[in-house]
Amino acid sequence: MPRDGKSSKGSELDKKIKVQQEYFKCPSWVGSPKKGVRLEVRKGNEVKDPFKLDKFPYYLIGRHEFLCDFFVQHKTLSRVHCAIVHHRSGSTFIIDLGSAFGTMVNGKKLAEYKPTKLAVGDEIRLGQSTRKYILKE
């Protein structure tokens, strides 16, 4: 989003933040996403529709159909499981939001509420779901 705040996304972003603020406080270091950044979604050998991450500074993923930007129906995901957050430097981070079954990046379980920097090609697993989410640009 341009720094002048006159983007058409501005009011949409304000609404998003207002609805989600009880579950996630947007960090002060957020920035605009790179164009084309996305999570490729794989279940086994099947590639599903990607999660496009290039519109807002952050996205919530979880089982809460109306609160999360990306709804994932799996019994081991929390209602609001994790956040994908874009840093003003251009980097992308993931934050586990205290999920019961955890979030893993490249096989390592993340600490709760600690931003973890992602690299293109990193593989994310949520809870005990077999789906894989791979960061792409």
Side-chain angles (χ1 to χ4, degrees):
M1 180 170 74
R3 293 186 185 262
D4 64 8
K6 294 181 182 177
S7 169
S8 61
K9 293 183 280 185
S11 61
E12 196 175 350
L13 177 59
D14 292 341
K15 182 178 178 184
K16 169 184 165 62
I17 291 171
K18 185 176 181 179
V19 168
Q20 296 174 338
Q21 68 186 352
E22 181 181 341
Y23 298 91
F24 180 72
K25 184 179 179 208
C26 190
S28 61
W29 47 261
V30 299
S32 297
K34 292 179 184 175
K35 187 173 174 88
V37 69
R38 64 200 179 281
L39 289 177
E40 179 181 276
V41 182
R42 293 184 186 177
K43 183 168 176 129
N45 292 328
E46 185 180 354
V47 177
K48 304 281 191 177
D49 288 338
F51 290 175
K52 295 179 181 180
L53 304 173
D54 61 357
K55 185 175 182 180
F56 296 118
Y58 75 90
Y59 293 84
L60 299 182
I61 302 172
R63 262 188 317 120
H64 195 295
E65 187 173 1
F66 301 107
L67 183 65
C68 292
D69 300 291
F70 299 109
F71 169 65
V72 179
Q73 189 172 2
H74 192 276
K75 63 184 177 182
T76 65
L77 264 70
S78 296
R79 291 183 309 136
V80 182
H81 195 92
C82 67
I84 304 290
V85 185
H86 299 289
H87 192 278
R88 63 179 153 237
S89 69
S91 298
T92 302
F93 286 77
I94 186 167
I95 304 170
D96 180 275
L97 298 176
S99 65
F101 288 90
T103 302
M104 296 178 68
V105 174
N106 299 326
K108 295 180 182 177
K109 188 173 181 179
L110 302 183
E112 295 178 2
Y113 302 104
K114 181 182 177 194
T116 301
K117 188 175 181 179
L118 294 171
V120 171
D122 279 352
E123 181 183 287
I124 300 165
R125 301 284 297 265
L126 305 175
Q128 295 176 349
S129 171
T130 58
R131 289 183 189 210
K132 299 175 185 176
Y133 305 86
I134 300 165
L135 186 66
K136 301 282 187 173
E137 285 186 355

